[in-house]
Every structure is written in C-alpha cells, then in structure tokens.
Amino acid sequence: MTQSQTKRPFSTLRHWLDSESASGIVLMITAALALIVANSPLSATYFQVLESKLGPMSVLHWINDALMAVFFLLVGLEIKREFLDGQLASWSNRALPGIAAAGGVIVPALVFAGFNWSNPETIRGWAIPSATDIAFALGVLSLLGPRVPTSLKVFLATLAILDDLAAVAIIAVFYTADIATLYLAGAAGIFALMFILNKMGIMRLTPYLILGAVLWYFVLRSGVHATVAGVLTALTIPIKPALGRPDDMSSPLHTLEHALAKWVGFVIVPIFGFANAGVSFAGMSPSILGDSLTLGIALGLFVGKQFGVFGAAWIAIRAGIATKPMGASWTQLYGVALLCGIGFTMSLFIGLLSFDNDLLHSETKIGVLLGSLLSAVCGWALLRISTRNRAVK
C-alpha cells in the first residue's frame, strides 16, 4: 500500500468530521433563530408559511417528506460506506460504538416509558429520546478544538452513524401508517430493479437517481414514511468502481455523497431545523415542563443517553469485548456520552411521526430542546474541564 493510499482514509475522515462540525454550528444558530422568530411579531407569518399549500402538500410536509428524504439518502450512503470501506468495516471497530449505541437506544426508551407507560397516546413517542444528532454533537465537540483526542471524535461519529441506522429501522417498523398494498408492491418492484442495475455493474448515477425519485413517490403513497426511500436508494448505489477497488473515491457512492454533503449539512438540515424547532411560548403554562411527555423526552435524552452509552461502553471495555478509545480518559468518554444526549434532528423527526396533536408537538419540541441543551452544556463543560491545559493531536 502506498503512502497516499494510507493517508487517504484519515484525510477523508478528518474532512468529514470538520464538515459535520461546521454544519452542527450552523444548525445551532438556525434552531435558536427559529425560537426567536416563533416568539416575535413574525410568529403568525412563520407558522402561516409553513402550513401554506405548495401543490399537493404543505410547505412543512415538503420539507419533512421530500427534503428529509435527501437527508436520509446521505445517511444511507454514509452507513453503507462505513460498513464496506470505513470505521465499521471490521467487527473489532464496530464493537465499542455498536454496544454503546445499543445502550443509547434502549435506556432512553426505558426512561421515557417510565414516565409515559400509563398514557396510550404519549407512549407512541418512546423512540424520540433514542436518537443522537451527529452534526449537533460534533459541532459542540469541535468547540473544544485539539484538546479532545481524535479517537473520541471517531467514536462519537461512528456511534451516531449506528444510532442513525437504528432510528431508520425504528421509523420503518414502528412508525408506518396503514399500508397501501399496490403502492408498496410498486416500491418493491422499483427497488428490485435498482438492485439488479447494481448487480449488472451499472456505474452511472442517473438511472439510480431517476428510479430513486419514482421509489420515493411509491413509498410516500404506500403508507411507509417517504424518507425510507432515501435509505433504500442509498443501498443500491454502487461503491465499487469498474476496476474493483472499493476504496476508489471515484465510485458512484463517493461521488454522490460528496455532492450531497454540503447541501444536506448547510441547507437541508438547517431548513428542517428552522421549520421544526420553532415553538411559540405565548399562552403556554410553565406546567408543561412537568408533563410526562416533556419530562420523558428531556430526561430520556439527558439521563438515559449518558447512562446508556457510558454504561454499555464501560461494561464492554471491562469485559474485554472492546478497547477504550486511544488516548482518552474515562472522564472524557463520559463527556462524549453526555453529548450523545443531543438528539435534535432525528428526535424532532420521530416526534412528528408520533403525534398528530399540536400540543404534543409543542411538548415534544420543548423536551427535545431542553434535553439536548442540558446534554450539550454539561458534555462541553465536562470535556472542557477534563482537557484543560491539554492539547492532544
């Protein structure tokens, strides 16, 4: 292996982490702006524009069903690349983030269920605190600069990718409406055709993207959430170029991922954040903070995530199943577990799928914002203290 081939994965990962961090900071600003606008004289206009019709759907539905399908396409591409050509390509690399991600999905759901078990309406939101926002979390981590070991950044990014995979599976299985069999069969046929194109070695992106758009329509009409089409499309995009080098950056998957990354990170996700983070506090009683839904989400993210991620990682490391990230202390690992409680984008998205009630949507947003804010501030503070006077490269 040449020196340039050795350096390529590390330089690619570094570039990817940097772009995620930058987009996370943009997302923080956008979320804050949404809250300001929703509680300003522009509030009525803000909500009116989101609910206005644009063809067959409202502006908000276009954002959540169409633009977010592109977001999920990128998520699917990242997951596939990491499993075939990245940090998740070997079982040894998957062990620690995989076990930690499992703990970070299960424990927050249990915390949420503890507050909402007796309420058949709110219990549908059990998966809301189980998601980690990779861009937001890496954005907070980037504020600490070189004091944080690179191994911890890789651990957080890998865990969040697996977390996204779990969230996609949860959405597909648990948040599907009534099924329209004919459209579902059509979606299956389109997906099968895309799979055949992949096996035939078709390397042009155009056929996959055209069929992906058709797949999105069939999935939308089938009752399965339309964003699942983005992940299914990603699974069919070839990663191996014609010469058979899976690490060649000219493969269709790498090309599409590179083309989408900036648009998703700096346009689509901020638009989603701006459209969905805005909650008006006008006429809202402070007692909403004590409601079971708000508490279940906030504490699921802040308490459930940190104990789920760190507890599972601690057990795996102590049992010899996995190794601690190189150069990282237990305190730093715990700080990263705290950051995993930032569940902004995916948590808000699952919340939208869980409820049809405006009040429950508002409680969901407050719970997500509160839990994510606590996780971000406490995680940053702990990592700041633990890395003081250290400059780890």
Side-chain angles (χ1 to χ4, degrees), residues 65-127:
D65 289 354
L67 284 185
M68 286 302 284
V70 181
F71 166 79
F72 276 88
L73 171 59
L74 181 62
V75 168
L77 293 172
E78 290 174 346
I79 291 171
K80 181 175 180 178
R81 171 176 54 76
E82 289 296 328
F83 268 93
L84 298 179
D85 182 34
Q87 291 296 317
L88 299 174
S90 66
W91 284 106
S92 59
N93 286 346
R94 296 171 192 167
L96 183 62
I99 294 170
V105 170
I106 295 169
V107 177
L110 292 176
V111 172
F112 179 91
F115 284 93
N116 294 273
W117 188 257
S118 60
N119 189 329
E121 186 176 20
T122 60
I123 193 63
R124 275 185 50 82
W126 63 270

Side-chain angles (χ1 to χ4, degrees), residues 23-64:
S23 63
I25 293 171
V26 172
L27 182 56
M28 294 180 210
I29 296 171
T30 307
L33 184 61
L35 282 172
I36 293 171
V37 172
N39 292 278
S40 74
L42 295 174
S43 176
T45 303
Y46 169 79
F47 290 108
Q48 184 179 357
V49 169
L50 291 176
E51 294 301 326
S52 61
K53 287 288 185 178
L54 190 62
M57 297 192 295
S58 68
V59 171
L60 186 61
H61 279 138
W62 277 111
I63 293 170
N64 293 336

Side-chain angles (χ1 to χ4, degrees), residues 12-28 71 74-79 81-82 132-143 153-154 156-158 160-161 164 257 260-266 269-270 345:
T12 301
L13 180 61
R14 188 183 298 267
H15 174 74
W16 183 76
L17 289 172
D18 287 344
S19 64
E20 289 285 350
S21 300
S23 63
I25 293 171
V26 172
L27 182 56
M28 294 180 210
F71 166 79
L74 181 62
V75 168
L77 293 172
E78 290 174 346
I79 291 171
R81 171 176 54 76
E82 289 296 328
T132 295
D133 191 300
I134 184 171
F136 219 136
L138 286 172
V140 174
L141 199 61
S142 72
L143 299 177
K153 297 178 183 178
V154 173
L156 176 58
T158 308
I161 288 171
D164 281 346
E257 184 183 1
L260 290 177
K262 291 291 190 291
W263 285 100
V264 170
F266 294 100
V269 170
T345 305

Side-chain angles (χ1 to χ4, degrees), residues 289 294-295 297-299 301-302 341 364-376:
L289 295 174
T294 307
L295 283 175
I297 294 172
L299 295 180
L301 286 169
F302 180 57
T364 297
K365 293 176 182 179
I366 291 172
V368 169
L369 291 170
L370 183 59
S372 297
L373 181 62
L374 285 171
S375 298

Side-chain angles (χ1 to χ4, degrees), residues 261-328:
K262 291 291 190 291
W263 285 100
V264 170
F266 294 100
V267 179
I268 291 177
V269 170
I271 287 175
F272 172 84
F274 183 75
N276 290 281
V279 54
S280 175
F281 300 117
M284 191 176 292
S285 171
S287 63
I288 196 173
L289 295 174
D291 288 349
S292 61
L293 179 59
T294 307
L295 283 175
I297 294 172
L299 295 180
L301 286 169
F302 180 57
V303 178
K305 268 292 186 180
Q306 60 174 290
F307 286 111
V309 170
F310 183 77
W314 185 86
I315 291 172
I317 294 169
R318 289 299 188 188
I321 301 172
T323 57
K324 192 167 61 173
M326 186 179 299

Side-chain angles (χ1 to χ4, degrees), residues 31 230 388:
R388 184 174 293 166

